[in-house]
Amino acid sequence: MRSALVAHVAVDRTAYHFDKPYDYLVPFDMVEKAKAGCRVLIPFGTGNRKRQGMILSVTATSDFEKLKPINSVLDNDPLLSEEMLKLAAWLKERTFCTYFDVFHLMIPAGINMQMVSAYRLCEDIDCDNLSLTDDEKSVIQYLRQSGAQVEKDRLLEIMGLNPDSDLLDKMAAKGFVTRYEDAVRRMGDATVKMARLSRDFDESEKLTKKQADVVEILKMTGAASVKEICYFTGVTAAVVTNLERKGIVEFFDEEVYRTFLDTDRPEDKREILLTDEQKSAYDRLINIYNSGKGGAALLYGVTGSGKTQVFLRLVDQVTASGKQAIVMVPEISLTPQMMTKFFSYFGDSVAVVHSALSAGERIDEWKRIASGKARIIVGTRSAVFAPAKELGLIIMDEEQEQSYKSDRSPRFHARDAAAFRCKKLGIPLLLASATPSIETFYKAQKGKINLFEMTERFGGAKLPESVIVDMKNELLSGRTGVLSEVLAEDIQYNLDNGQQSILLMNRRGYNTSVSCRTCNQTLTCPNCSISLNYHTKKGNYDDGFLFCHFC
């Protein structure tokens, strides 16, 4: 019995209730390209409209007679590994989203494909014998003059029609125009125009002085960008172009990476020195890594205990063994700080992933990670989806922060996604914090994950003293001001010794609430029951005003 390959495809723009793998026949000429993790164009629905899909898996079957064939494979190589496809399926079931909701997290927006519709005039259209509206006549006339297919958005704009107009679809249904659909990448790769000597170059050919200078440069370098040639020889681009026309030089494009990193910055490869506590934590963590069994661990260190130094030593060891490492921070504002430390030590083997990057930078950082050129990935929660094919370690700094949880669909927690990847790969997940989340600390105390503590600050620095004052007791002792007695005394002490004090106000208004001195009842908003804020001046109310910040 004859067999064929069948691709199980997740389809873009589907609702959750019918988002499932659909079976499509892989044509014989696409067998080599149709792999799991590649995007495809497929006919979908009763109208066979072209949709984008992602191949989840490929199997052989003999029951393929009723299957629709794939139209085309959009990627030469898989965008997602088997591991990432498993993560996508797990997140889909866990967060009740669609496959492509997760794929959009994993693949940079610039690499995503968008479906583009175009229209061409059907042959042998006789406008004189047809009942046409003025708009239909204008469209037919324009398409006849252009003699080619025109993209839908451009055609509607030229005709002065609403972008939501269904005129073109109606004309296609009537047989006046033919509709074409194709998938186009949102953003192309960054390239630079390069030049090299042609294989047919004849040394005896007569050249001008400027042309000879260009040829000499290319003999020395083999190939160079047109910009570099002009810089080093002092010629204009026209000289290089003329050599190309004569067949002496040939042009080609070379891909370059868009990056914001200062690649000229020198590396600082000084030895990372650890204290006894840091060394103890590092030794136990590296033992987990070397065991090959993986497992989660909590590095519970007080503020300033030097957790970052432990990170650097761990990542250095992991990358030295040929693996990649992901280091996550909760906020974009913390990324440059962490990037500075890692980039100064590891150089341009560091990639950064966060939402403040431009679309082009995101694409190129993604490609650097996927190709293995970037060994260390530093970023916010989206870094957990970095396409590291040789992943050996994931670190989450300040793991208790809520910013690791997405507030938009799919509503995933980066800690859960990281734990899934680490478990599947058998690699360590290091959670670090001075104030860990309740659930993480509970697991550490119960022995479900490893616990490593660092109780001393790096360099012998002392933790600042904190004092909590109950202002109700201040009222009972007769102090009705906004400053407690201990705070007033410490401020006065600083003033007497020529020192400065900083008071941080965490509210709008003069006070967050107003309460009765006798019964302690707080005045609340009549609409929402939230306590009213007291403003000393609000608009025309010079004597003060109670204001609800919620309503």
Side-chain angles (χ1 to χ4, degrees), residues 301-348:
V302 298
T303 302
S305 59
K307 294 186 288 295
T308 305
Q309 296 296 101
V310 178
F311 298 165
L312 287 168
R313 279 290 293 272
L314 276 173
V315 170
D316 191 26
Q317 186 65 34
V318 169
T319 54
S321 65
K323 297 291 186 178
Q324 294 171 283
I326 295 175
V327 182
M328 286 188 283
V329 293
E331 299 287 349
I332 292 175
S333 59
L334 297 176
T335 311
Q337 180 182 339
M338 189 68 77
M339 274 295 300
T340 300
K341 293 178 181 178
F342 275 83
F343 185 62
S344 63
Y345 190 81
F346 296 105
D348 59 5

Side-chain angles (χ1 to χ4, degrees), residues 260 328-339 352-357 362 378-382 403-404:
F260 60 92
M328 286 188 283
V329 293
E331 299 287 349
I332 292 175
S333 59
L334 297 176
T335 311
Q337 180 182 339
M338 189 68 77
M339 274 295 300
V352 63
V353 178
H354 58 69
S355 59
L357 299 180
R362 286 192 213 180
V378 179
T380 51
R381 67 169 178 256
S382 56
S403 55
Y404 280 123

Side-chain angles (χ1 to χ4, degrees), residues 193-210:
K193 191 176 184 180
M194 303 287 290
R196 61 191 169 204
L197 290 176
S198 173
R199 293 179 181 178
D200 301 329
F201 170 55
D202 185 359
E203 294 277 358
S204 62
E205 189 161 351
K206 291 184 179 180
L207 301 173
T208 65
K209 174 66 170 62
K210 291 181 178 180

Side-chain angles (χ1 to χ4, degrees), residues 119 134-163 165 167-168:
Y119 294 85
D134 292 339
D135 288 337
E136 289 174 338
K137 289 179 181 178
S138 298
V139 170
I140 290 175
Q141 184 178 1
Y142 180 81
L143 289 176
R144 179 170 289 160
Q145 290 175 350
S146 66
Q149 64 186 44
V150 182
E151 287 187 10
K152 179 180 179 180
D153 292 342
R154 181 164 171 260
L155 186 56
L156 290 175
E157 183 181 359
I158 292 172
M159 295 294 105
L161 298 172
N162 191 300
S165 173
L167 173 67
L168 297 176

Side-chain angles (χ1 to χ4, degrees), residues 319-520:
T319 54
S321 65
K323 297 291 186 178
Q324 294 171 283
I326 295 175
V327 182
M328 286 188 283
V329 293
E331 299 287 349
I332 292 175
S333 59
L334 297 176
T335 311
Q337 180 182 339
M338 189 68 77
M339 274 295 300
T340 300
K341 293 178 181 178
F342 275 83
F343 185 62
S344 63
Y345 190 81
F346 296 105
D348 59 5
S349 64
V350 180
V352 63
V353 178
H354 58 69
S355 59
L357 299 180
S358 68
E361 288 169 345
R362 286 192 213 180
I363 292 173
D364 291 347
E365 292 294 83
W366 188 89
K367 288 191 292 187
R368 287 180 63 225
I369 297 166
S371 66
K373 293 180 179 178
R375 310 303 299 172
I376 301 126
I377 302 97
V378 179
T380 51
R381 67 169 178 256
S382 56
V384 76
F385 300 115
K389 296 176 181 176
E390 298 292 335
L391 189 59
L393 171 69
I394 297 180
I395 298 173
M396 278 187 71
D397 195 19
E398 304 295 342
E399 64 86 26
Q400 81 285 352
E401 289 292 336
Q402 284 299 304
S403 55
Y404 280 123
K405 185 175 182 179
S406 173
D407 56 0
R408 295 183 299 177
S409 181
R411 290 175 172 80
F412 72 97
H413 199 300
R415 183 177 57 220
D416 298 333
F420 182 88
R421 292 192 74 176
C422 290
K423 184 177 181 180
K424 290 294 181 183
L425 296 172
I427 62 174
L429 168 62
L430 177 57
L431 308 172
S433 178
T435 55
S437 60
I438 294 174
E439 58 268 35
T440 299
F441 197 56
Y442 177 80
K443 289 178 182 178
Q445 287 185 319
K446 292 297 182 180
K448 295 182 178 181
I449 64 175
N450 295 285
L451 175 61
F452 309 124
E453 295 188 64
M454 296 195 302
T455 58
E456 298 176 0
R457 301 191 83 185
F458 186 79
K462 300 296 182 183
L463 284 168
E465 182 183 358
S466 299
V467 178
I468 299 174
V469 178
D470 188 343
M471 294 301 290
K472 289 184 179 179
N473 293 334
E474 295 287 309
L475 290 174
L476 294 176
S477 63
R479 294 184 63 87
T480 59
V482 294
L483 300 182
S484 66
E485 183 178 3
V486 63
L487 179 58
E489 288 177 355
D490 285 347
I491 292 175
Q492 188 60 52
Y493 176 84
N494 285 345
L495 289 172
D496 294 341
N497 288 276
Q499 295 178 329
Q500 295 171 300
S501 302
I502 297 176
L503 297 181
L504 302 178
M505 302 291 289
N506 64 338
R507 61 172 180 254
R508 291 184 296 145
Y510 187 77
N511 210 313
T512 54
S513 64
V514 176
S515 59
C516 176
R517 300 293 191 199
T518 304
C519 65
N520 281 337

Side-chain angles (χ1 to χ4, degrees), residues 74-100:
L74 302 177
D75 301 304
N76 294 324
D77 298 300
L79 287 184
L80 299 176
S81 64
E82 183 181 354
E83 177 223 344
M84 298 302 286
L85 290 173
K86 288 180 179 178
L87 176 59
W90 179 76
L91 281 173
K92 166 186 161 55
E93 296 300 322
R94 184 179 178 87
T95 63
F96 302 101
C97 65
T98 67
Y99 277 108
F100 266 83

